[in-house]
Amino acid sequence: MATPKELYYEKRGKILVKNLQSRHFDAYYCADKEEALKKALELIPEGASISWGGVMSCDQIGLTDAVRKGNYRAIDRSQAKTPEEREQVMRDALLVDVYLTGANGLSLDGQMVNIDGNGNRVAAIVYGPRQVIVVAGMNKVEDTLDAAINRARTVAAPMNKQRFQNQTPCGVTGVCADCKSEGCICNQIVITRHCRPAGRIKFIIVGEDLGF
């Protein structure tokens, strides 16, 4: 029997999927990680070139591992041997067939918020890759766009910053200080409110908590 949380996520997820589709995104609701992985692999053609930025949600459902092991051409910055090679991989990722990403915040009316340090991830979402697949847990969903932006700034970014050694106020305290630090990871904030061409961006909404 489904838990209250699972039922809550499913009901809100169906509203979100409908609203995403009204904005010309492709969108699917998957109850768990296993279903989400199956759906993602259905959407990716064999032999496709695929890349990603920092994407914990895709790691958590097993998608990045499946891509590395499957019949795809993975452009993986984690395999770079030098900073220069890593930079080139990040540039090459802007022209892949499929780009994988998560979301830092989603509003229930179907808008996505992403916050970025270098900008490579949000750049790929906006333009370049032929297809973008967004894997997002229901923990990312807020009632309003303002709340989704606030989540990206005050929850996702400070939590994500704990992974990095160069310190910022939020890295030390866990609280956003609206800083201008050299290591700031809030340099670009992008709201994606509509999909053109229709269907380029595909959402897999997962009825679990994923990512930051």
Side-chain angles (χ1 to χ4, degrees):
M1 181 179 293
T3 67
K5 185 176 183 178
E6 289 169 343
L7 292 171
Y8 172 73
Y9 274 176
E10 181 181 4
K11 290 171 183 177
R12 283 173 65 85
K14 288 180 179 178
I15 294 170
L16 175 59
V17 163
K18 182 179 178 180
N19 288 335
L20 286 166
Q21 291 171 344
S22 77
R23 295 175 181 273
H24 301 286
F25 301 103
D26 286 352
Y28 310 89
Y29 183 82
C30 296
D32 54 33
K33 297 182 183 71
E34 292 75 18
E35 187 179 338
L37 175 59
K38 181 180 178 181
K39 173 54 69 175
L41 293 175
E42 287 175 1
L43 297 175
I44 302 173
E46 287 197 13
S49 58
I50 307 174
S51 194
W52 54 87
V55 60
M56 181 171 289
S57 57
C58 291
D59 291 341
Q60 288 173 318
I61 71 168
L63 180 54
T64 45
D65 280 345
V67 167
R68 291 186 184 103
K69 296 173 183 176
N71 183 25
Y72 311 103
R73 185 163 64 89
I75 299 176
D76 184 356
R77 70 181 184 183
S78 70
Q79 302 302 310
K81 297 178 175 59
T82 66
E84 293 76 17
E85 185 178 342
R86 179 182 171 87
E87 176 70 19
Q88 186 57 53
V89 170
M90 290 165 67
R91 291 181 180 276
D92 292 343
L94 298 175
L95 293 175
V96 294
D97 297 319
V98 181
Y99 192 82
L100 308 177
T101 187
N104 297 133
L106 289 164
S107 60
L108 198 58
D109 70 352
Q111 301 184 71
M112 176 171 62
V113 180
N114 280 292
I115 197 163
D116 215 351
N118 294 320
N120 58 297
R121 185 172 62 100
V122 294
I125 292 169
V126 172
Y127 188 82
R130 295 185 184 279
Q131 179 176 216
V132 175
I133 296 177
V134 181
V135 177
M138 282 297 296
N139 55 308
K140 303 296 183 70
V141 182
E142 300 286 351
D143 285 345
T144 67
L145 179 59
D146 285 345
I149 294 170
N150 185 65
R151 186 194 188 283
R153 295 293 306 274
T154 66
V155 178
M159 197 177 297
N160 189 32
K161 189 59 187 177
Q162 306 309 310
R163 300 188 300 133
F164 301 103
Q165 293 182 344
N166 56 333
Q167 290 301 315
T168 63
C170 76
V172 174
T173 68
V175 178
C176 177
D178 196 23
C179 76
K180 301 175 184 175
S181 302
E182 184 177 352
C184 177
I185 61 171
C186 300
N187 297 321
Q188 293 86 24
I189 302 173
V190 172
I191 299 168
T192 306
R193 60 172 299 277
H194 189 264
C195 188
R196 189 172 70 187
R200 174 181 173 263
I201 300 176
K202 297 171 171 56
F203 283 88
I204 298 174
I205 306 300
V206 187
E208 297 188 16
D209 293 349
L210 298 176
F212 298 130

